[in-house]
Amino acid sequence: MSLINGTHFLVIGRAGMDLYADPPGTEIETATAFSAALGGSSANIAVGLCRQGASAALLTCVSDDAVGRFAKAQLDAYGVDRSLVATVGGEARNSLAVVETRLENTQSVIYRNGAADFQMTVADVERPEYAAFDGLITTGTVFAAEPSRTAAFRAFDLAKAAGRPIIFDIDYRPYSWTSPKDAESTYARAAEMADIIVGNDLEFGFLAGDYEKGLDAARALARHSDRIVVYKMGENGAITLAGDDEFRTGIYRTEALKPTGAGDAFMAGFLASLAARRPLSEAVLRGSAAAAIVVSKVACAPAMPTTQELDSFMASRPAPSPA
């Protein structure tokens, strides 16, 4: 089963700057050097798609300053179409993350006050020709504040009207929301509109209003005959649900340097594989392999694998068994 019939995607959401304490293993508070990379979950997904043979346009807002220009220059370097990236002035500032490359007690300090991407408006999302794309991708962060929330739901409506699938990464980040209740109701609305929904067990548990009932919530969403739901369980792999179909897959073991970037890599690998007309089970495994590659390297966008790198990685390891 595949809802993706082409390789050209519209991705909505933030692009920012990530600063990594250098060298790897260094704590932020003791670091005297940092390396910069493109960040933001939507930008990372767009990069991952482009690295694996698909194409992606990013729709977002960036600040009218050096950090905003950094984000745009990085999108250019990775081949992401940024013709739909708007620049906003005033006190809006780009998302900034200060991050560590280490596994234990990893610290990530996120600056999101007055975030430029939350300034995305209905006018911004009405600019694209949705029929020109093969799918609309967004992460939960776009719904956390206005006017971005209303704009994102307008984009959903436009994608539906154009007959294009909506791909929703739940990506719940509590620090972005004013209240859990607000997030829960908003995510429930987005999930009901989506055709492909990806999230981890905690995110589906949050969506269900009970962390013990996350899988039940995923199964309820998947009862829609034309919907794919991927319920990720960390080291225990994933359960993929599509109508009456349900199957488990394992993860690829690797020497991880950090926990960040896995979700973005999974989404890019998964969708690029569906776009290449690979079977659903293979697409999930390729998403898992992409995630394993990214956590084994510094940063996120620069670590996104090419198709050749992904093929080589998978060929060098046995297919993982479900937990």
Side-chain angles (χ1 to χ4, degrees):
M1 176 182 182
S2 177
L3 301 175
I4 307 298
N5 295 310
T7 61
H8 188 36
F9 294 92
L10 176 62
V11 188
I12 295 182
R14 73 189 189 280
M17 177 185 281
D18 289 350
L19 296 177
Y20 287 85
D22 192 51
T26 305
E27 294 181 347
I28 291 170
E29 53 262 47
T30 63
T32 58
F34 293 84
S35 60
L38 178 67
S41 51
S42 293
N44 290 337
I45 292 168
V47 169
L49 287 166
C50 291
R51 303 266 264 183
Q52 292 185 50
S55 62
L58 185 68
L59 196 166
T60 192
C61 294
V62 297
S63 52
D64 187 15
D65 56 26
V67 179
R69 290 190 290 275
F70 170 89
K72 290 192 288 186
Q74 288 292 296
L75 291 170
D76 287 343
Y78 288 113
V80 177
D81 178 358
R82 63 169 178 87
S83 60
L84 296 170
V85 176
T87 300
V88 292
E91 296 184 359
R93 292 291 179 266
N94 254 66
S95 175
L96 177 68
V98 185
V99 197
E100 295 171 342
T101 304
R102 60 189 188 123
L103 279 178
E104 299 298 323
N105 302 313
T106 308
Q107 298 181 101
S108 180
V109 183
I110 312 292
Y111 294 89
R112 297 281 288 149
N113 296 336
D117 54 283
F118 284 149
Q119 301 306 308
M120 181 180 68
T121 67
V122 167
D124 291 323
V125 303
E126 288 181 343
R127 290 169 58 202
E129 177 58 56
Y130 286 78
F133 296 94
D134 298 302
L136 169 66
I137 305 166
T138 191
T139 69
T141 307
V142 300
F143 296 106
E146 293 289 6
S148 178
R149 181 186 304 179
T150 296
F153 278 122
R154 174 60 175 155
F156 275 28
D157 289 337
L158 292 168
K160 285 287 187 189
R164 296 301 183 260
I166 296 168
I167 301 100
F168 176 47
D169 186 340
I170 299 174
D171 193 29
Y172 176 50
R173 315 249 179 150
Y175 58 78
S176 292
W177 290 84
T178 55
S179 75
K181 183 178 180 181
D182 190 24
E184 183 182 336
S185 61
T186 303
Y187 280 156
R189 178 185 170 190
E192 282 299 327
M193 296 181 73
D195 301 288
I196 298 176
I197 306 163
V198 177
N200 62 36
D201 44 5
L202 293 178
E203 289 167 339
F204 276 105
F206 174 77
L207 195 62
D210 183 340
Y211 285 102
E212 298 299 317
K213 296 181 179 179
L215 184 55
D216 291 339
R219 285 174 171 148
L221 286 166
R223 290 193 188 108
H224 189 291
S225 60
D226 293 323
R227 182 179 283 154
I228 297 171
V229 180
V230 183
Y231 179 85
K232 299 184 294 183
M233 303 177 292
E235 292 190 356
N236 293 318
I239 299 174
T240 302
L241 309 108
D244 294 328
D245 258 358
E246 181 174 325
F247 61 88
R248 289 178 178 254
T249 48
I251 66 166
Y252 285 88
R253 303 289 173 179
T254 189
E255 291 294 325
L257 287 178
K258 66 184 193 308
T260 52
D264 301 337
F266 177 90
M267 180 65 90
F270 174 61
L271 293 178
S273 299
L274 290 181
R277 305 299 177 92
R278 296 180 186 271
L280 181 58
S281 58
E282 184 180 347
V284 174
L285 284 176
R286 290 179 73 83
S288 176
I293 290 171
V294 168
V295 298
S296 70
K297 297 181 178 182
V298 177
C300 296
M304 293 289 166
T306 64
T307 303
Q308 183 178 358
E309 289 168 341
L310 191 55
D311 289 343
S312 297
F313 177 89
M314 296 178 72
S316 68
R317 291 162 172 79
S321 301

